[in-house]
């Protein structure tokens, strides 16, 4: 009974996400970036297990010690272990990326969907607003929001997130304008789907690809800006072990204790580099023409 | 051409109003204004209340927001940027020389970015897949991941502390070297990438092959035939990059104590000195808008198809 009369070819299609993962694993830069991101995640989750010292514990007897077997990356101006602070810093780095990216991507996508699919009036109002916001260089917009909300870790993250909204909105709008003309959207409408169902059920899934590609560009940029804010004293405040904030005091000791500057700076560089190469890999896989 | 320029200028008007509205918002939406912050805990309650009321009236903080906005725009049109509550003098007197400093720094940085970025981009495109190309691409990738403030500190560490080529606190013309390098080299990275792509694209065209077939020398081929066409793409990127330079100046000026508007902005926000913050942001946004306007017009002048399409 199990013998089929005709050998049919196997028509099962691999799910799209599994194909994407396979292609990502074959992409060298995606693997390198993924490995760095994984390392950051492990450090963030297991920070208490990895870090040999309390990141906030002050040890006046051990201030500004150079790197040694006891203190791998040396100690800072009040004797805190830099390696431990950098391990804990991964938590702030990832938090900043997550919060800033969620704010810009969610609100930006919503505005882009509304502008792209809404009436000409809605589109006109939203786009003029976006034009004005884009007339500010990114960092200037961030400073505007910080000036309004006041400097702190959370307002810094929010500011970077809010300043990123117009970029997402413009991208999603143009993607929606393209998708809106596709036959499957008309199909859904003929089948009786409401406008809201079409917007979120049909249009949104089809603009996810450009959204992810843009996320991969914008997130490392947002992380850079957030750490620059902390460095300028307008974001995370010392003694928080945020890498940008760690450089604030360390730069005073540049001449006597270079390690206090290079350790957090290098951590920031490696993390951003990881996000950038992961982004390159994602773009190659999701957007082969781009 | 004149009609195109006029159209672009008209399109900029709502943006200018928007910029003024946003900078105005900085002061309008803050729960405690700078005046209140200044007097809290410094005098007896009654004296403080009186002083606050007097100052609030002086700065029109007691009017509804839309009246304040009209007054704000009026004073802007008269060239009055307000008075810094911290420095106790007109904002315009503080901004003037700092603006020149920032222009000098961004100008120097832009020259470095152009020479290094376009130079390596052209070389990488001509010697495609050579070690030079691979090095330029790798360094470029590092450049896009490098925080400007960390790069600045590394420059001080290497050039001033280890090599002792420059004093740690340089005076005179030497003072601009490191900040301009920090700002310019980071912006050279994306410029190099764009130039490389644009040049590779142009070098593939038929007219280049035709020129080569006619026996045009390699250098003339690259510089006279290919580069002008690749420049079209590069020009738009340069417009955007001046924005990045203006933005990067906030951080780099802070590291190198370069007294430009970037450093002033960071200080003003820290002091909660809103008139100063507003003015700095207004001036920066205005400059960015003007630069992009000029870039657009230049673009249409270089490539007349843009004007027709608009």
């Amino acid at each position: 009974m199990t013998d089929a009369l005709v050998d049919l070819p196997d028509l099962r299609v691999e799910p799209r996400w599994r194909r994407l993962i396979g292609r990502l694993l074959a992409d060298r830069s995606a693997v390198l970036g993924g490995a760095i991101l994984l390392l950051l995640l492990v450090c963030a989750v297991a920070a208490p297990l990895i870090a040999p010292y309390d990141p906030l514990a002050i040890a006046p007897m051990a201030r500004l010690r150079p790197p040694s077997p006891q203190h791998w990356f040396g100690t800072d101006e009040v004797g805190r272990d830099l390696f431990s602070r950098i391990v804990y810093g991964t938590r702030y780095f990832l938090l900043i990326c997550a919060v800033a990216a969620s704010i810009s991507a969610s609100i930006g996508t919503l505005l882009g969907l509304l502008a792209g699919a809404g009436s000409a009036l809605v589109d006109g109002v939203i786009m003029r607003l976006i034009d004005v916001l884009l007339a500010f260089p990114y960092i200037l917009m961030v400073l505007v929001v910080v000036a309004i909300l006041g400097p702190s870790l959370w307002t810094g993250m929010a500011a970077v997130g809010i300043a990123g909204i117009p970029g997402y909105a413009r991208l999603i709008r143009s993607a929606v304008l393209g998708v809106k003309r596709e036959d499957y959207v008309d199909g859904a409408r003929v089948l009786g789907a409401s406008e809201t169902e079409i917007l979120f059920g049909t249009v949104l899934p089809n603009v996810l690809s450009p959204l992810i590609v843009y996320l991969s560009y914008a997130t490392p940029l947002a992380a850079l800006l957030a750490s620059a804010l902390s460095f300028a004293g307008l974001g995370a405040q010392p003694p928080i072990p945020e890498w940008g904030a760690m450089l604030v005091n360390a730069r005073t000791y540049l001449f006597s204790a270079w390690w206090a500057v290079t350790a957090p700076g290098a951590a920031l560089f490696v993390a951003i580099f990881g996000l950038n190469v992961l982004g390159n890999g994602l773009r190659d896989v999701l957007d082969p023409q781009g | 051409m004149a009609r195109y320029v006029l159209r672009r200028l008209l399109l900029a008007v709502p943006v200018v109003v928007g910029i003024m509205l946003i900078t105005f918002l900085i002061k309008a939406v803050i729960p405690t204004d700078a005046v209140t912050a200044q007097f809290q805990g410094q005098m007896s309650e009654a004296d403080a209340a009186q002083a606050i009321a007097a100052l609030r009236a002086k700065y029109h903080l007691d009017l509804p927001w839309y009246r304040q906005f009209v007054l704000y725009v009026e004073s802007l049109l008269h060239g009055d940027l307000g008075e810094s509550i911290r420095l106790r003098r007109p904002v315009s007197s503080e901004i003037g020389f700092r603006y020149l400093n920032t222009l000098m720094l961004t100008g120097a940085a832009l020259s470095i970015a152009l020479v290094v970025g376009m130079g390596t981009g052209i070389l990488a495109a001509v010697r495609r897949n050579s070690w030079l190309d691979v090095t330029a691409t790798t360094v470029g990738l590092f450049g896009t991941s490098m925080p400007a403030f960390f790069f600045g500190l590394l420059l001080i560490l290497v050039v001033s502390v280890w090599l002792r080529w420059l004093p740690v606190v340089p005076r005179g013309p030497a003072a601009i070297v490191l900040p301009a390098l920090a700002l310019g080299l980071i912006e050279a990275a994306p410029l190099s990438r764009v130039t490389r792509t644009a040049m590779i694209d142009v070098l593939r065209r038929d007219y280049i092959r035709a020129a080569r077939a006619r026996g045009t020398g390699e250098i003339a081929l690259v510089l006279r035939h290919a580069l002008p066409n690749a420049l079209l793409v590069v020009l738009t990127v340069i417009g955007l990059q001046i924005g990045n330079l203006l933005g990067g100046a906030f951080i780099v000026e802070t590291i190198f104590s370069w007294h430009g508007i970037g450093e002033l902005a960071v200080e003003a926000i820290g002091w909660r000195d809103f008139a100063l913050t507003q003015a700095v942001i207004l001036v920066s946004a205005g400059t960015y808008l003007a630069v992009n306007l000029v870039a657009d017009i230049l673009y249409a002048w270089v490539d007349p198809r843009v004007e027709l399409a608009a």
Side-chain angles (χ1 to χ4, degrees), chain B:
Chain B
M1 191 69 199
R3 277 188 54 196
Y4 177 77
V5 173
L6 195 68
R7 255 187 55 131
R8 290 291 302 131
L9 283 175
L10 283 178
L11 278 175
V13 171
V15 179
V16 171
V17 175
I19 288 176
M20 287 195 293
L21 196 59
I22 287 179
T23 47
F24 170 74
L25 269 181
I26 294 175
K27 199 149 83 176
V29 296
I30 319 243
T32 57
D33 53 70
V35 171
T36 318
Q38 203 181 8
F39 283 101
Q40 253 162 8
Q42 292 194 3
M43 300 178 208
S44 72
E45 285 287 317
D47 283 352
Q50 205 175 13
I52 288 171
L55 269 181
R56 283 177 66 92
K58 183 180 167 199
Y59 293 119
H60 306 298
L61 291 171
D62 49 353
L63 296 176
W65 72 269
Y66 51 89
R67 298 252 330 259
Q68 285 191 43
F69 181 62
V70 172
L71 284 171
Y72 175 62
V73 174
E74 260 179 26
S75 53
L76 281 184
L77 292 178
H78 287 100
D80 177 12
L81 291 169
E83 191 178 329
S84 160
I85 289 175
R86 166 86 177 215
L87 303 169
R88 293 185 190 273
R89 56 195 166 109
V91 167
S92 43
S93 72
E94 180 68 20
I95 285 204
F97 83 95
R98 283 181 177 263
Y99 188 65
L100 286 181
N101 275 345
T102 297
L103 282 189
M104 225 153 63
L105 177 61
T106 43
L110 183 65
S111 323
I112 293 173
L114 284 179
V115 171
V116 176
M118 288 181 56
T120 53
I122 292 171
L123 281 176
V126 173
R127 300 264 172 273
R128 214 178 151 192
N129 296 327
S130 65
W131 64 268
L132 203 142
D133 182 18
V134 175
T135 316
T137 311
T138 318
V139 173
L141 185 60
F142 285 155
T144 50
S145 308
M146 181 61 90
F149 52 95
F150 179 47
F151 187 57
L153 291 175
L154 279 184
L155 273 180
I156 299 180
L157 188 64
V158 173
V159 176
S160 298
V161 181
W162 288 348
L163 299 174
R164 293 174 191 281
W165 285 353
L166 281 173
V168 172
V169 188
R171 304 208 175 277
I176 201 173
V177 175
L178 288 187
L181 275 177
L183 205 52
L185 288 182
I186 286 206
E187 283 310 310
L191 195 60
S192 169
R193 206 154 58 175
V194 173
T195 310
R196 176 181 178 271
T197 319
M199 280 299 281
I200 287 176
D201 187 43
V202 170
L203 284 170
R204 268 202 295 252
R205 302 271 174 84
D206 285 341
Y207 77 93
I208 295 290
R209 285 166 61 190
R212 184 173 281 135
R214 284 200 307 271
T216 312
E218 199 65 22
I219 293 176
L221 195 73
V222 170
L223 294 183
R224 283 234 320 274
H225 295 259
L227 188 60
N229 281 298
L231 272 183
L232 284 179
V233 185
V234 178
L235 197 63
T236 31
V237 181
I238 293 175
L240 289 174
Q241 283 205 299
I242 294 180
N244 287 348
L245 287 173
L246 282 173
F250 288 89
I251 300 306
V252 171
E253 285 179 2
T254 307
I255 300 174
F256 292 97
S257 306
W258 183 263
H259 302 308
I261 49 171
E263 190 199 39
L264 186 64
V266 171
E267 286 172 353
I269 294 175
W271 295 335
R272 317 281 288 148
D273 186 334
F274 300 111
L276 202 54
T277 310
Q278 276 180 321
V280 171
I281 285 173
L282 190 73
V283 167
S284 307
T287 309
Y288 183 57
L289 182 70
V291 164
N292 275 310
L293 210 61
V294 172
D296 273 357
I297 291 168
L298 270 182
Y299 196 60
W301 180 61
V302 178
D303 183 0
R305 287 171 302 179
V306 174
E307 191 185 336
L308 291 176

Side-chain angles (χ1 to χ4, degrees), chain A residues 197-247:
Chain A
E197 279 166 6
I198 290 175
L199 200 53
F200 290 98
T202 313
V203 174
L204 183 59
N206 283 291
V207 298
L208 279 184
S209 216
L211 178 64
I212 292 173
V213 169
Y214 191 76
L215 257 175
S216 75
Y217 272 113
T219 309
L221 209 63
L224 265 181
L225 260 183
S227 62
L229 269 190
S230 307
F231 175 75
L234 302 176
Q237 307 286 328
I240 294 179
E242 196 272 338
W243 297 331
M246 284 168 70
L247 285 168

